[in-house]
Amino acid sequence: MEMTSTQNTTQAQNYRFQFFGKGSEFFSIMIVNWLLTLITLGIYYPWARAKRLKYIFGQTALNDERFNFAGTGKEMFRGFIKVILFYIVIMAVYILLVLQQKPFMAFLAIVFLMASFFALYPLIVHGAFRYRMSRTSYRGIRFGYRGNRTELIKNCIKWSLLTIVTFGIYGAWMSMNVRRYTHQNIRYGNVEFNNASDGGAWFIINLKGTLLTLVTLGIYSFWWQRNMFNYYIDCISMQKGEQKIQCHSTATGGGFFKLMVVNMLITVFTLGFGVAWAQMRTQRFIWNNIKMEGDINLDEIHQTEAEYTNAFGEDAMDFFEIDLA
């Protein structure tokens, strides 16, 4: 009897992250950046940030092929100027209200400052994702961000009001809603990103982390960091037609303990000069603990995304210390 079978063309692919950054190389970049930023009274900062990102991206590899960041200091400088102007206007209005020396005006000044941040937040996030993704590529194919600014603004207003009404409790849901929305609008060529983050799960992780960290006098904080990192990574997936990649974290509490304690010792005993080595150790730890499993063939991905050079969101994110996660 002759038996026939159909061969499954969908095969599991091999994905392996590596990070090649060296503390000595990054230290050289940091020293030059610090000196030039100091000499130019801060004007060089956008170029410093571009060099730092270009190095970190260039030292990160997937399957032995490195990522590339094409952002430039000139692009970031234009964004930097816009951020400074926005900040000056906001602070000028705030100071003028405070100088009225009336209780109601002082209250109004605080409300204005908070409202300004809430209003800027979705603009910053949208702009940062759009710029960062557009200027990042792998194997010559750009990433992209297709989020709608108006939609994100409306959502953030709703989520912010719910956070205020619930005295901050809804903040966990807002954080995950923003993360889910932005990630679901990321593209790598014709590959779509997805994120399954849930505010309830994030709230429990942080509630548990806070309580156990207090009870253990800080010891549990490393496992709290592990839980947050694992949740971030485990919720990420990618889709290309019927093909899919799922991300997994292999980080442990012990691993975070060793990373953070050694980084602290390196930084303290080198009087701060060892921060470059600490940052490279952190990057290596992150990428070594991200695993991907799936069947998307990287050779079959083609370019679909356009370039975008407005770096306002990127600079504002750094200026206001907002994490692009």
Side-chain angles (χ1 to χ4, degrees):
M1 179 182 296
E2 183 179 358
M3 299 182 63
T4 60
S5 63
T6 57
Q7 183 178 4
N8 186 1
T9 58
T10 302
Q11 299 178 349
Q13 301 292 312
N14 177 46
Y15 312 102
R16 183 183 72 262
F17 281 112
Q18 295 169 284
F19 185 74
F20 299 98
K22 297 179 180 178
S24 56
E25 295 175 348
F26 195 58
F27 178 74
S28 298
I29 293 173
M30 289 180 64
I31 286 295
V32 173
N33 283 347
W34 286 340
L35 290 175
L36 290 177
T37 301
L38 181 64
I39 292 171
T40 60
L41 302 178
I43 294 176
Y44 186 77
Y45 179 76
W47 282 267
R49 180 166 173 76
K51 283 187 176 181
R52 189 167 68 247
L53 288 172
K54 189 178 293 288
Y55 179 80
I56 292 175
F57 276 71
Q59 297 301 319
T60 306
L62 174 62
N63 291 358
D64 297 318
E65 297 191 65
R66 303 193 184 200
F67 289 81
N68 178 63
F69 179 73
T72 66
K74 184 178 180 180
E75 293 169 354
M76 290 191 177
F77 179 72
R78 291 197 295 263
F80 183 69
I81 293 300
K82 293 178 183 178
V83 173
I84 294 299
L85 291 176
F86 268 97
Y87 181 74
I88 290 174
V89 170
I90 291 172
M91 293 310 298
V93 174
Y94 172 78
I95 291 172
L96 285 174
L97 290 173
V98 171
L99 289 177
Q100 300 300 313
Q101 296 184 347
K102 297 179 180 179
F104 176 74
M105 299 304 285
F107 171 75
L108 189 61
I110 295 173
V111 171
F112 170 77
L113 201 61
M114 294 178 63
S116 297
F117 176 77
F118 280 122
L120 281 174
Y121 177 72
L123 297 176
I124 292 171
V125 170
H126 175 83
F129 266 95
R130 193 174 179 189
Y131 177 76
R132 178 79 67 89
M133 293 300 107
S134 170
R135 309 308 278 155
T136 303
S137 62
Y138 171 70
R139 305 180 81 186
I141 297 175
R142 283 189 300 275
F143 286 77
Y145 175 71
R146 298 186 182 183
N148 183 280
R149 181 173 58 189
T150 302
E151 182 181 10
L152 182 60
I153 290 173
K154 290 179 179 178
N155 285 335
C156 281
I157 290 174
K158 178 178 66 177
W159 299 332
S160 296
L161 290 175
L162 287 171
T163 300
I164 294 171
V165 169
T166 59
F167 300 100
I169 294 176
Y170 192 79
W173 279 263
M174 178 175 177
S175 178
M176 292 302 101
N177 289 346
V178 171
R179 184 174 177 81
R180 189 167 59 249
Y181 178 85
T182 52
H183 283 200
Q184 288 175 349
N185 281 289
I186 293 175
R187 301 291 184 270
Y188 170 62
N190 55 335
V191 173
E192 300 179 2
F193 279 64
N194 290 295
N195 192 295
S197 297
D198 174 72
W202 188 243
F203 179 79
I204 294 299
I205 287 173
N206 285 282
L207 178 62
K208 176 184 175 182
T210 301
L211 295 175
L212 290 180
T213 297
L214 290 173
V215 170
T216 60
L217 302 180
I219 295 175
Y220 186 78
S221 62
F222 305 105
W223 280 262
W224 184 8
Q225 289 288 328
R226 187 262 329 256
N227 291 341
M228 290 193 293
F229 179 79
N230 287 357
Y231 189 75
Y232 271 147
I233 302 304
D234 292 347
C235 287
I236 300 173
S237 63
M238 286 146 270
Q239 193 87 27
K240 178 180 175 290
E242 297 298 320
Q243 300 174 337
K244 184 177 180 179
I245 290 177
Q246 180 64 51
C247 295
H248 300 286
S249 168
T250 59
T252 64
F256 267 101
F257 174 82
K258 180 180 178 182
L259 171 71
M260 298 173 74
V261 169
V262 173
N263 280 355
M264 181 189 67
L265 294 175
I266 289 174
T267 304
V268 170
F269 284 101
T270 60
L271 302 179
F273 287 102
V275 68
W277 281 265
Q279 289 186 18
M280 292 301 96
R281 292 185 73 252
T282 300
Q283 289 292 327
R284 190 170 297 107
F285 176 84
I286 290 171
W287 293 110
N288 285 348
N289 282 290
I290 297 178
K291 307 300 178 186
M292 299 198 306
E293 298 176 354
D295 55 8
I296 295 180
N297 189 337
L298 300 180
D299 294 327
E300 295 177 353
I301 299 173
H302 57 80
Q303 182 66 63
T304 61
E305 305 307 305
E307 289 187 288
Y308 181 73
T309 60
N310 187 342
F312 168 75
E314 176 74 28
D315 287 291
M317 177 198 68
D318 187 55
F319 187 84
F320 292 105
E321 297 185 350
I322 297 174
D323 184 27
L324 184 63

